[in-house]
Every structure is written in C-alpha cells, then in structure tokens.
Amino acid sequence: MADSQERLQQLKAFDESKAGIKGIVDDGISKVPSIFIRIFDDPTDEDTPSSGKPTDPHRVSIPVVDLGDVARQPAKVIQDIRQAAESMGFFHVVNHGIPNRVLEEMLEGVRGFHELPREVKANYYSRDRKRKVKFYCSNNLSKASWRDSLFCNMAPEPLDPQELPEVCRDITMEFSDQVYKVGVTLFELLSQALGLKFDHLIGLGCAKERLITSHYYPPCPEPELTIGTVKHTDGTFITILLNDHLGGLQILVENKWIDVPHLPGALTVNIGDLLQIISNNKFIENHHNSIGEAPALSIGIAFPEDELMAS
C-alpha cells in the first residue's frame, strides 16, 4: 500500500481526472491500483466482520412481501412487513405495480450513462453537495471503493429534467414517479405495522425527500483485493433498491456476510437509520455492502431526512 502522502496525491490525481473507475478500466489496467486495495483480514478494520471475509458464499432466505395482496389480505401484508422490518431490516417486494419495462429501461438508461465516453461524463463529475445531478467515484474518497455513481436529487424541490443526462433523462423521471408511489404504500404499511394510523409516517414527512443514486461496478482485474461498497447502514427512512441480475448485495447476519439473491422483477427494501430511531428500535437497520465484480449495476431510491443523511 502507498504511504499516506503518496496515497493522497494518487487520490487527488484520480479525482481530478474525472474519469471514474470506468476510466481506469478502459485504460487497460491489469492490477487494482493501490488506492483501491482494502485489507479485509485486518481485525481492526471497521469494515471487516470478526468472522468471515466479505466474499463468504453464505445465503439466507430474504423475506418477500407481496403488495398484490394489499387489497385482498391487508392484515397478512402488514404482518409480513412487520416481521421483515423487525427481524432482518431487508425484504423483497413483488407485485409492486411497476411494469418490467420501466425497470429494464431504467437499468439500461443508467448503464448507458456510465458507459458514455469519459469526456461526456466529465461534465457531470462533481463533489458539490448543492449540485442536484452529479457523477463521482465514492462518496468518501478517503475510503475509495470500486464503483462509479450517478446521483440525482429528485425532491422536495422538483428536478428540472434538463439537468439529467439525455441517455437516461425520460426514464429517470418515470422511474422516480413510479417508485415514489411504491414508497408511499410502504410507509402506509409500515405505519400500520407499528400500530399507528396508515398516514402517520407520511405525515412526519418521511416521503418528502427523494434521492436516486445508481452505482456502476466496472470489471475488476483483482476483485478479491477491493470492494464495491463498504460496510454501512443507510442514513434514510427506507431505501428501495433495483439490482441487475448479477447481484452483489450482501447483508451482515450473525457476523457473516450473506448474499442477497436476485429475484426477477422484485425491488429490495431496507430499513434506514432514521426509521429505526423513530420506531424506537422496533424496526431494525442492517449493515450491508456490495462486492460488485462487474459490470454490475444497482439503483437505489432513498427517502432520507436530507441530502447529508444519504449514504
């Protein structure tokens, strides 16, 4: 590993290139640059569980909530979402009402952005917190991860569609509107799962803020040396995630990293820090990461309190 000063210089040069991880991959690297290498077997590393490496192939059954049963069996759906939010903090939702066309076009659109020529993407590269649409590599560059991200602040101030890259402009607006409706339904169900009126969480403003972040994990020559997204919880009320079929999402269960299997057509929901807090710890957040060996893609819509809370 490079010493601290050399590492800072390399990080600065990388960031100023505005090319992202995809840019250095396109340059034909055969080894992971030292600034992206993570030491997983160091017991003092806060991203490393006390047992098992992040690539352990353990699997677990992720709860599935069928929103198609809301009209016919509302009590069952509320019970299902209560159990999932209390036991694991992660669950799939199926029959959510979003056409597969929208999901596939959203994946295609943001992949199209991340695979644009570097000189086009460079126009969007920024770390300015006030910018509503921006492209960057790693929110915290001091812990550089193997991923590129496109961030879009959709609400409460409406986003001007012209600020979005043309390649994913229309579908991002449509996807945002569709997932917002799913989010409202989830907040209504989660309110009732807490024994409250259906509009309680909406009334608290839980659905007021809305961010979309897409993470692109370019092909990695040495995937065992780095990670797509470090261990974290989300500073949100909830996050709704759309993954491509390659997966890569893992959650920490009994101190082991567990693969979250891809479920075609489903959205994956996780409880964030804020919902755990306001539910008095009845609903739980869960640590997760992504090992994206690529070229994998994930798209998350977060409902945070404000941009600073978004992971």
Side-chain angles (χ1 to χ4, degrees):
M1 296 289 286
D3 61 36
S4 297
Q5 188 60 36
E6 182 181 358
R7 176 179 168 81
L8 287 175
Q9 292 175 350
Q10 291 176 358
L11 285 170
K12 185 174 184 293
F14 168 76
D15 204 41
E16 289 177 349
S17 76
K18 300 184 178 182
I21 301 291
K22 182 65 163 53
I24 61 175
V25 169
D26 288 346
D27 286 339
I29 59 169
S30 59
K31 292 184 176 297
V32 171
S34 60
I35 56 176
F36 297 103
I37 294 176
R38 304 193 68 83
I39 303 174
F40 298 116
D41 57 358
D42 181 353
T44 65
D45 189 336
E46 65 179 19
D47 295 329
T48 306
S50 61
S51 66
K53 292 184 179 180
T55 51
D56 277 354
H58 297 281
R59 302 181 73 88
V60 70
S61 178
I62 305 298
V64 177
V65 176
D66 189 343
L67 296 185
D69 288 337
V70 169
R72 301 187 303 272
Q73 304 180 72
K76 178 183 181 301
V77 179
I78 292 169
Q79 176 64 15
D80 288 346
I81 205 169
R82 178 189 298 118
Q83 289 179 347
E86 291 179 351
S87 65
M88 189 171 292
F90 267 81
F91 54 94
H92 294 307
V93 292
V94 297
N95 294 320
H96 41 66
I98 302 178
N100 282 335
R101 172 196 62 81
V102 173
L103 304 182
E104 292 301 320
E105 288 185 13
M106 185 61 184
L107 288 168
E108 180 182 350
V110 294
R111 186 183 299 279
F113 169 81
H114 287 288
E115 295 181 354
L116 285 171
R118 67 176 69 190
E119 59 271 19
V120 178
K121 290 189 296 183
N123 295 319
Y124 294 92
Y125 199 93
S126 175
R127 296 193 179 277
D128 183 354
R129 290 187 176 275
K130 296 181 180 180
R131 188 163 173 174
K132 292 177 71 67
V133 177
K134 56 191 175 185
F135 158 60
Y136 55 87
C137 171
S138 298
N139 200 20
N140 181 356
L141 196 57
S142 66
K143 292 186 176 182
S145 299
W146 195 263
R147 76 174 192 215
D148 292 332
S149 302
L150 176 64
F151 169 93
C152 308
N153 189 342
M154 307 301 296
E157 296 299 324
L159 176 66
D160 180 353
Q162 295 305 310
E163 294 187 48
L164 290 163
E166 184 177 2
V167 68
C168 58
R169 180 177 299 155
D170 293 342
I171 190 59
T172 297
M173 299 302 295
E174 182 177 6
F175 178 76
S176 177
D177 290 343
Q178 295 260 10
V179 179
Y180 172 72
K181 295 175 184 177
V182 175
V184 169
T185 297
L186 290 171
F187 281 125
E188 291 175 349
L189 293 168
L190 288 162
S191 293
Q192 294 172 87
L194 289 169
L196 304 169
K197 293 182 178 180
F198 78 96
D199 58 352
H200 184 84
L201 292 176
I202 296 295
L204 293 179
C206 293
K208 182 178 69 172
E209 307 276 344
R210 187 161 80 255
L211 313 175
I212 298 180
T213 306
S214 71
H215 298 309
Y216 179 83
Y217 307 90
C220 183
E222 299 175 297
E224 70 280 2
L225 297 182
T226 189
I227 195 166
T229 305
V230 299
K231 172 185 173 185
H232 69 289
T233 58
D234 288 356
T236 65
F237 291 106
I238 62 172
T239 300
I240 301 175
L241 183 68
L242 170 64
N243 269 322
D244 66 10
H245 69 282
L246 295 177
L249 176 65
Q250 297 182 326
I251 61 175
L252 196 61
V253 178
E254 297 180 354
N255 216 33
K256 289 185 181 295
W257 287 113
I258 305 300
D259 294 322
V260 176
H262 173 67
L263 185 60
L267 297 169
T268 304
V269 180
N270 68 275
I271 303 299
D273 302 343
L274 297 176
L275 188 53
Q276 174 168 318
I277 291 169
I278 66 173
S279 69
N280 292 321
N281 296 321
K282 185 171 184 179
F283 295 159
I284 63 169
E285 62 188 4
N286 204 328
H287 285 92
H288 50 288
N289 71 19
S290 178
I291 60 172
E293 296 183 7
L297 183 69
S298 65
I299 304 166
I301 287 198
F303 293 85
E305 185 177 34
D306 55 52
E307 180 179 349
L308 298 180
M309 295 294 293
S311 65

